Amino acid sequence: MWRWNQTSLEDFILQGLFDDSLNHICLFLLLMLVFLIAVIGNSLTILLICADPHLHTPMYFLLSQLSLMDLMYVSTTIPKMASNYLSGKKSISFVGCATQHFMYLSLGGAECLLLALMAYDRYVAICHPLRYTVLMSRRVGVMMAVMSWLSASVNSLIHTSILMSFPFCGSRIIHHFFCEFPAVLKLVCGDITTYENTVYISSIVLLLLPIILVSASYGFILHSVIQMRSAGSKRNAFATCSSHIIVVSLLYGACIFSYMRPRSQHTPLQDKVGSVFYSIITPTLNPLIYTLRNKDVAKALKKVLKRDIIT
């Protein structure tokens, strides 16, 4: 038993995102550029929402939480990957891998839930505007954020504890650029069919139920928009929802591709492509999508830039 524990605690080897033939310095610079764009964009979104009193509403509070999740998301994967390319090493400790797995699974789950709750917020704003301050008070917004963080963290803690307690046999090479669940699961010895079924059910809860809530919310929104007589009101309603729909499509699409397929159908390349979308591309694009397509956020940004130019 002691010997098995010693073996289990050995380091893992991360294969990385790109082929070894590519220049490591160029890859490091590319990753750091993407990381800086994501950090600046999400940090700026959070600061704008905190600084502008007009953005102190439940909708923008939830958006600030989304930006915080994205900020933590890129900080979980990109720095380790960039440091490996710079140093030439590919190893990650057992504890480091478990921590990375817990963080990415917590943040991914929390983001899926939060996006579903943000769709409900848009439903209330468009379909019940006179009751918005009652149905979506600041307290309700905080409760939504706490529920997203807490439920996703508990789910991630359970899965990380179970996954990392399994024995790992053969090579400890993870054919991925971080400790993602499907890639680590392939290294596990023995029959894990029961656990895979549990993971599948968990994926349904964290993906399909939010998708149902998003679909229902936008179904009611579409019905209300069709009944609107003013063309301006229709444009405002679509403009309000368009950013959220784009972000939902990017994240949910990539997560379904990565987690709703049987284990036998997973290939390292497919896993990497799906993961790049939800762990790097989506967190980087989210602030750009919301800043460029949201009039209130864009107005707050212009106000800050004008103030800096004048001073």
Side-chain angles (χ1 to χ4, degrees):
M1 183 70 179
W2 177 84
R3 194 170 178 178
W4 177 84
N5 284 337
Q6 288 291 100
T7 306
S8 295
L9 293 174
E10 290 177 7
D11 289 356
F12 293 95
I13 304 297
L14 293 171
Q15 191 183 55
L17 179 58
F18 301 102
D19 192 88
D20 285 338
S21 61
L22 296 173
N23 188 295
H24 284 196
I25 299 298
C26 291
L27 293 175
F28 170 77
L29 294 174
L30 175 64
L31 288 171
M32 290 312 297
L33 176 63
V34 173
F35 181 67
L36 285 173
I37 292 171
V39 169
I40 292 170
N42 285 293
S43 299
L44 185 61
T45 302
I46 295 170
L47 290 172
L48 285 173
I49 291 171
C50 292
D52 195 326
H54 295 98
L55 301 181
H56 292 177
T57 64
M59 172 187 170
Y60 291 108
F61 170 74
L62 295 177
L63 177 57
S64 70
Q65 294 300 299
L66 180 68
S67 293
L68 178 60
M69 291 173 187
D70 285 336
L71 187 60
M72 294 175 67
Y73 218 142
V74 293
S75 301
T76 300
T77 55
I78 294 182
K80 177 59 180 174
M81 184 167 42
S83 67
N84 282 358
Y85 281 124
L86 186 64
S87 64
K89 297 178 181 178
K90 294 186 174 183
S91 63
I92 183 171
S93 68
F94 179 87
V95 174
C97 187
T99 303
Q100 194 178 60
H101 183 273
F102 168 76
M103 291 298 295
Y104 106 84
L105 204 58
S106 295
L107 294 165
E111 196 159 324
C112 284
L113 295 172
L114 187 69
L115 285 171
L117 296 172
M118 289 173 75
Y120 171 76
D121 171 76
R122 292 299 81 211
Y123 156 73
V124 175
I126 293 171
C127 299
H128 304 284
L130 298 179
R131 300 177 62 198
Y132 181 79
T133 53
V134 177
L135 296 175
M136 279 300 301
S137 62
R138 183 173 180 79
R139 182 183 176 186
V140 172
V142 171
M143 286 174 62
M144 284 180 170
V146 170
M147 186 174 70
S148 299
W149 283 101
L150 191 60
S151 54
S153 297
V154 170
N155 175 72
S156 179
L157 181 62
I158 292 170
H159 285 302
T160 302
S161 301
I162 294 172
L163 178 63
M164 303 311 285
S165 67
F166 285 130
F168 298 98
C169 52
S171 68
R172 299 174 75 88
I173 299 174
I174 299 174
H175 295 281
H176 216 288
F177 58 91
F178 70 99
C179 291
E180 192 196 30
F181 179 81
V184 178
L185 194 66
K186 288 180 180 179
L187 304 180
V188 173
C189 303
D191 183 21
I192 52 172
T193 306
T194 303
Y195 177 59
E196 281 188 294
N197 292 334
T198 305
V199 171
Y200 191 74
I201 293 169
S202 174
S203 299
I204 290 174
V205 173
L206 280 176
L207 281 173
L208 290 189
L209 289 182
I211 288 172
I212 290 170
L213 179 57
V214 170
S215 302
S217 297
Y218 279 110
F220 286 119
I221 288 171
L222 184 61
H223 178 71
S224 295
V225 169
I226 290 171
Q227 291 182 329
M228 290 178 182
R229 296 180 181 179
S230 169
S233 299
K234 289 182 180 181
R235 280 196 300 271
N236 289 336
F238 281 122
T240 303
C241 299
S242 59
S243 301
H244 183 260
I245 292 172
I246 293 170
V247 172
V248 165
S249 301
L250 284 172
L251 181 66
Y252 284 12
C255 288
I256 289 171
F257 179 78
S258 296
Y259 292 98
M260 297 301 290
R261 292 178 298 137
R263 184 185 179 188
S264 58
Q265 294 182 13
H266 282 260
T267 66
L269 179 60
Q270 289 175 342
D271 288 342
K272 287 179 184 179
V273 170
S275 300
V276 164
F277 266 94
Y278 73 74
S279 66
I280 297 177
I281 294 177
T282 302
T284 305
L285 291 180
N286 281 356
L288 298 176
I289 292 168
Y290 274 104
T291 302
L292 295 175
R293 298 184 65 87
N294 188 293
K295 290 181 180 178
D296 293 331
V297 178
K299 193 183 293 182
L301 179 59
K302 287 177 184 176
K303 194 186 295 181
V304 170
L305 292 175
K306 271 185 184 178
R307 192 186 305 158
D308 290 341
I309 291 170
I310 292 170
T311 55

